Amino acid sequence: MQETQIHGVGEIMSLFKNKIILTIVLLFLAFSIGTLAYMNGQSKPEKPIHNVVNLSANSLTFHEIDKLDAFAELIVIGYATENFKDRKHIITAFDDGTMQSFHTNTNIKIDKILKKPDDFPSDQNELTIIEPVSLEGDVKYTVNDYMELQKGDRSVLFLMKNTFGDYGLINDNLGKFSLEGITQFSVPQSSTAQALSEYETFRNSVMEKYNIQQLQ
């Protein structure tokens, strides 16, 4: 009888130990899954899009900051709140299927207004702007090698209202200047050394005119 009781206690202890081990394993798995989910939820640099179709357009381009400042209706420091792929991409076509126009609606957060028209609220901190670029599947369409705004990249943005009342970015790549400096998304990788130098000179004049300190 005593031996039976000893065996019973041993089985209970063994079962209890197995439950503890199983509980530890389940907790470890739950922690690992939660950690992976958290890491995947963090913002990551967007993967480059390799299929790019660039179209040329005879757009008005300014190479002097005073002329650009005078032409622009709205100038802000702001940043895109979504990754490029997650934005609303608009592509229209003629009846025969030929592409008619394209653009992207980009939601931005406004940190500071540098210039505005009288009817633009001084306390407005969000705005949807139009960029001359769009995405269809894995193909990106862009005008004059325009590089889209990157999520969270605070930049000086030069904007003009179109006939539909929407603000759009003007002056191609010379209409946006990152406060982080010149990055791979400032100008096309195919830019010449002269073009890059001219962009840097223009950017410096923008930072100086509005007394903006570069982010460190």
Side-chain angles (χ1 to χ4, degrees), residues 9-41:
V9 171
E11 291 175 357
I12 292 173
M13 291 298 293
S14 177
L15 181 61
F16 181 69
K17 289 180 180 179
N18 288 338
K19 285 185 177 180
I20 292 177
I21 293 173
L22 180 60
T23 301
I24 293 174
V25 170
L26 290 175
L27 287 174
F28 175 77
L29 288 175
F31 175 78
S32 300
I33 293 172
T35 301
L36 288 173
Y38 173 79
M39 293 177 64
N40 289 332

Side-chain angles (χ1 to χ4, degrees), residues 71-75 116-121 124 127-130 158-170:
F71 185 77
E73 291 181 325
L74 178 64
I75 306 172
K116 72 177 191 67
D118 294 337
D119 61 349
F120 192 88
Q124 183 165 333
L127 183 66
T128 299
I129 67 172
I130 292 174
F158 293 85
L159 307 165
M160 173 73 71
K161 186 180 290 187
N162 62 18
T163 55
F164 299 100
D166 301 314
Y167 281 100
L169 194 140
I170 60 174

Side-chain angles (χ1 to χ4, degrees), residues 2 14 22 46 79 126 133 139-140 159 172:
Q2 184 177 2
S14 177
L22 180 60
E46 293 190 65
Y79 57 90
E126 293 181 350
V133 61
V139 180
K140 181 176 76 172
L159 307 165
D172 299 329

Side-chain angles (χ1 to χ4, degrees), residues 88-101:
K88 187 175 182 180
H89 303 284
I90 308 297
I91 298 178
T92 62
F94 293 104
D95 293 338
D96 62 0
T98 304
M99 181 182 291
Q100 181 179 19
S101 65

Side-chain angles (χ1 to χ4, degrees), residues 180-192:
E180 296 184 2
I182 298 177
T183 70
Q184 61 177 322
F185 301 104
S186 299
V187 293
Q189 294 182 355
S190 58
S191 298
T192 63

